[in-house]
Amino acid sequence: MRRALVLVAFLALLLTGCGAGADGPDDGVVRLRFQSLAWQKESVDANRQLVKEWNAAHPGIRVEYVQGSWDSVHDQLLTSFEGGEAPDIIHDASDDLADFAYGGHLADLRPLLSERLLADIPARSWETTTFGEGVHGVPFLQEPRVIIANRRILESSGVRVPTPEHPWTWTEFRRIAQDLTRTMGPGRHAVAWPLKEPVSVSLNLGLSAGGRLFHRGEDGRVTVDLTEADTVVPGTIRDQVVTLGSGGSDTLPGFFAGKYAMVPLGFAYRQQIAQQAPEGFAWTVLPAPAGAAGLAQGVSPQTLSIAEASPHKKEAAAFLDFFLRPENMVRLALGDWMLPTGTTALADPSLHTARHGWATGAAVARQLRPAPAQSVRGYPEWKDKVAAPAFQEYYSGAIDAGELRRRLVTDGNRVLARYQRK
């Protein structure tokens, strides 16, 4: 019995110590937890090295690197917020922040961030993390959609190769793809679209053609309307080969084998191509086609936020200021094969080389805009229940443009209306 009482007392003491707060030992050292979603080796190494450098220079503010996962981050953060166990510094994406921001879980960063950081990132990027009156994340890495092309097929075809200064129009792209498919032979196609996420592709690229889809009235309410400009990109995609349910990686074997001449992908896929392409395979990076709005396209940048419940917001903001210095932002961008939002970092010569298409991406990055649905409340339900199945059926040929419009507009507005009732 005595031994049991001693054991219970010991466990109680241990649990009390474990729950003593984020600061741990009472030694005057501030301890912050930084949950990173970096997953590629180069990116993880860059993140860990920057944390190591911070800790070496700031013995009074220790940052602990915590590895998270993109696959489960939303549910994991939701649970940690509700349980009072959220990390102090949170890596996420801007299109995942709305619920957390409106729910009061993320700190308003406006009074915390340095003037240098606020001024260096363009206003259009800050728009992606502005919810209500507050700024709830620092947008720091962004990924435009580009076209990865088999250089030899394009050169042998004699087609004009586009550049950011002289891109293809959507009409020109459609014509070139049709002509190229005819000359490539049976079983081969000019373009293959990986459409695991058909909604984001359609909406974000649709900005270049002048599409908006979501319209905010004078009363602040958002409605859906499919205009002629909104149909340019979906109509082009439907005319080409689509791989519904397939991610970008799924198209690469066919691309390497010459089955497809071009594959529209996120900019970061260049790393996989550089590492996995057969020896001697010649590829190049082209800008996505331009429309009435030029090369504009929507984007949801990666973000860094501070938990509202963190007792050390000022110290966390100081770490963010260090972590996102221009030279460090370049290191993070190179590690992730993406592009920085910061104006100074984006001008770095290492991001303007022809090798692996860095220069093309840097040129397109200046045209990136907030994703159309960035601040639309109810968008996740509209996307999952209405838009995704509608676009999938449209791209597969199961429904026509009229039925697509009916579903997106009529059914979609019913969903959004529930989130905007006063």
Side-chain angles (χ1 to χ4, degrees):
M1 181 68 178
R2 180 180 176 82
R3 290 178 61 188
L5 290 174
V6 170
L7 179 60
V8 169
F10 174 77
L11 290 174
L13 180 62
L14 181 62
L15 290 172
T16 301
C18 290
D23 283 356
D26 186 16
D27 55 5
V29 176
V30 172
R31 288 177 170 79
L32 303 170
R33 286 188 300 146
F34 165 39
Q35 179 170 292
S36 170
L37 302 180
W39 63 275
Q40 300 179 95
K41 184 181 184 304
E42 294 175 47
S43 180
V44 172
D45 289 347
N47 277 259
R48 287 187 175 276
Q49 181 59 34
L50 286 173
V51 169
K52 183 179 179 180
E53 292 173 14
W54 166 271
N55 287 336
H58 302 82
I61 307 175
R62 304 288 296 178
V63 174
E64 175 192 358
Y65 180 94
V66 179
Q67 186 63 61
S69 169
W70 285 108
D71 293 336
S72 59
V73 64
H74 184 86
D75 291 341
Q76 179 264 320
L77 285 175
L78 186 61
T79 300
S80 67
F81 284 132
E82 293 177 348
E85 296 293 335
D88 300 273
I89 301 162
I90 299 162
H91 183 187
D92 203 348
S94 62
D95 60 356
D96 191 42
L97 299 185
D99 289 346
F100 301 138
Y102 287 120
H105 298 302
L106 302 178
D108 181 1
L109 301 179
R110 290 175 299 172
L112 297 170
L113 298 178
S114 69
E115 290 296 325
R116 177 203 65 79
L117 188 56
L118 288 169
D120 191 50
I121 295 175
R124 64 178 181 272
S125 293
W126 286 116
E127 289 177 23
T128 66
T129 58
T130 299
F131 302 94
E133 297 298 321
V135 173
H136 298 281
V138 182
F140 73 108
L141 289 180
Q142 54 192 348
E143 181 182 23
R145 295 182 187 273
V146 294
I147 297 175
I148 310 295
N150 183 316
R151 196 172 68 211
R152 290 196 176 94
I153 292 179
L154 253 61
E155 290 175 350
S156 64
S157 71
V159 303
R160 181 180 74 83
V161 177
T163 65
E165 295 74 27
H166 301 285
W168 287 330
T169 64
W170 283 102
T171 301
E172 187 179 10
F173 176 55
R174 185 185 293 210
R175 176 182 56 76
I176 287 172
Q178 291 172 342
D179 293 344
L180 193 56
T181 295
R182 282 194 291 267
T183 62
M184 286 179 65
R188 304 173 74 199
H189 304 274
V191 187
W193 288 85
L195 290 179
K196 186 176 183 179
E197 298 181 356
V199 182
S200 63
V201 172
S202 305
L203 267 62
N204 290 340
L205 287 180
L207 284 184
S208 66
R212 291 175 57 194
L213 201 64
F214 296 102
H215 302 265
R216 191 176 297 275
E218 292 183 0
D219 60 357
R221 297 194 178 198
V222 176
T223 56
V224 183
D225 186 21
L226 195 71
T227 67
E228 184 177 349
D230 291 303
T231 66
V232 172
V233 171
T236 301
I237 294 175
R238 182 181 161 114
D239 282 351
Q240 298 167 354
V241 173
V242 298
T243 52
L244 291 170
S246 297
S249 299
D250 299 317
T251 62
L252 294 185
F255 178 59
F256 295 149
K259 184 177 179 180
Y260 313 125
M262 296 177 280
V263 184
L265 294 169
F267 196 57
Y269 274 98
R270 296 170 305 124
Q271 182 182 35
Q272 281 184 250
I273 295 171
Q275 294 175 344
Q276 299 174 12
E279 186 174 355
F281 183 81
W283 57 281
T284 188
V285 178
L286 312 176
L295 288 173
Q297 58 176 275
V299 67
S300 297
Q302 292 187 25
T303 58
L304 292 171
S305 301
I306 298 175
E308 176 61 34
S310 173
H312 304 296
K313 295 184 183 67
K314 290 184 178 180
E315 291 84 354
F319 171 73
L320 290 186
D321 192 65
F322 161 81
F323 195 74
L324 299 177
R325 288 176 181 171
E327 63 271 23
N328 293 341
M329 205 181 278
V330 172
R331 291 163 65 182
L332 293 167
L334 291 171
D336 238 336
W337 287 64
M338 296 178 72
L339 294 161
T341 58
T343 303
T344 306
L346 188 58
D348 190 276
S350 65
L351 302 178
H352 291 263
T353 63
R355 180 174 169 79
H356 295 152
W358 279 106
T360 297
V364 174
R366 299 188 180 92
Q367 306 298 321
L368 298 179
R369 301 291 183 267
Q374 193 71 54
S375 60
V376 177
R377 304 196 73 171
Y379 169 73
E381 182 179 345
W382 176 83
K383 180 186 72 171
D384 294 341
K385 294 184 178 180
V386 177
F391 273 118
Q392 287 169 348
E393 291 188 49
Y394 175 70
Y395 288 140
S396 71
I399 63 174
D400 61 13
E403 178 62 13
L404 174 68
R405 185 184 191 284
R406 188 197 69 78
R407 293 194 191 182
L408 294 181
V409 177
T410 305
D411 296 348
N413 280 325
R414 288 196 191 102
V415 171
L416 297 188
R418 293 203 309 271
Y419 290 82
Q420 301 179 90
R421 290 172 182 162
K422 293 186 177 179

